[in-house]
Amino acid sequence: AAGVIQSPRHLIKEKRETATLKCYPIPRHDTVYWYQQGPGQDPQFLISFYEKMQSDKGSIPDRFSAQQFSDYHSELNMSSLELGDSALYFCASSLGAGGQGTKAFFGQGTRLTVV
Amino acid sequence: AQSVAQPEDQVNVAEGNPLTVKCTYSVSGNPYLFWYVQYPNRGLQFLLKYITGDNLVKGSYGFEAEFNKSQTSFHLKKPSALVSDSALYFCAVRDTWDDYKLSFGAGTTVTVRA
């Protein structure tokens, strides 16, 4: 069965560069969530989209932006990268905005290293 | 390799009754174990975690979980469920060898009826 696909799996960037992470949800899923997990830390919710509209916003820095496209894939754009942005970024997708019985499926994550 | 299994897709209980959400795990080293809750249209919220020490861990909103190494389980419990506990619950594990990777279970939908 198709799962949530994230690309790239690994990314190395220098400080002040930009990075774009992509998330392809499970087919027919219309909701995408983004999380940031630093080394040894709990995942922090960044932002979510439902039907191409932002549905919830967490601790996403102003340097980051995201959107969901017409095919429901999502991209997380990160600018002016800082060393502290080094983390595992993973996304999850679900069908529906999270009512009873809605399950979220997680991707493998993109490991971003800022040097 | 590490993995988490939540054997129940759904758990239904009456308000005031005890609630248990099951989780078993597999890791190559020592596990760090977590429970998260997701309310409708919201991101994950942390409930509790086990790193080391006492096998019974107490967390937010009256939840607790018991680490059982011999059964490789980390079941989430609440003595008296509330209607507001109705949500999606995820168990997660991180191997102490890898600081980054957190593996999630498939989730269990909890419905508490009044």
Side-chain angles (χ1 to χ4, degrees), chain A:
Chain A
V4 177
I5 306 297
Q6 290 187 246
S7 69
R9 292 295 306 278
H10 301 274
L11 187 61
I12 299 175
K13 290 285 187 178
E14 295 187 358
K15 285 191 301 183
R16 293 179 289 278
E17 285 193 319
T18 61
T20 298
L21 308 185
K22 298 183 179 182
C23 172
Y24 297 88
I26 289 173
R28 292 186 296 278
H29 279 193
D30 51 16
T31 306
V32 170
Y33 309 82
W34 283 98
Y35 296 88
Q36 176 194 57
Q37 185 189 349
Q41 297 179 9
D42 296 331
Q44 298 296 315
F45 171 66
L46 294 178
I47 196 167
S48 63
F49 293 90
Y50 167 64
E51 282 292 343
K52 292 154 281 184
M53 299 290 291
Q54 181 181 309
S55 55
D56 195 11
K57 188 174 182 180
S59 53
I60 184 169
D62 292 339
R63 298 178 289 109
F64 295 5
S65 65
Q67 59 181 324
Q68 186 179 33
F69 294 86
S70 58
D71 64 351
Y72 296 105
H73 93 273
S74 179
E75 295 184 3
L76 177 66
N77 299 294
M78 311 159 70
S79 62
S80 302
L81 286 170
E82 302 173 355
L83 296 178
D85 295 329
S86 296
L88 181 67
Y89 292 83
F90 56 94
C91 76
S93 75
S94 68
L95 178 62
Q100 293 298 311
T102 300
K103 284 194 174 185
F105 295 82
F106 291 86
Q108 291 296 303
T110 295
R111 188 172 295 196
L112 172 67
T113 302
V114 181
V115 296

Side-chain angles (χ1 to χ4, degrees), chain B residues 10-87:
Chain B
Q10 292 199 4
V11 170
N12 300 304
V13 297
E15 189 172 34
N17 282 1
L19 169 64
T20 299
V21 186
K22 296 180 181 179
C23 170
T24 58
Y25 66 90
S26 174
V27 295
S28 55
N30 293 317
Y32 290 168
L33 294 155
F34 307 80
W35 275 101
Y36 294 87
V37 60
Q38 182 183 1
Y39 295 102
N41 206 28
R42 304 301 301 274
L44 290 176
Q45 293 182 35
F46 170 79
L47 278 179
L48 52 81
K49 66 181 175 183
Y50 170 83
I51 302 297
T52 186
D54 195 346
N55 289 345
L56 185 63
V57 180
K58 294 188 182 296
S60 307
Y61 312 120
F63 283 94
E64 58 187 30
E66 186 168 10
F67 170 63
N68 188 317
K69 188 173 183 178
S70 62
Q71 297 184 4
T72 60
S73 67
F74 190 57
H75 301 329
L76 180 70
K77 300 180 181 181
K78 186 170 184 178
S80 179
L82 302 172
V83 172
S84 59
D85 293 329
S86 298

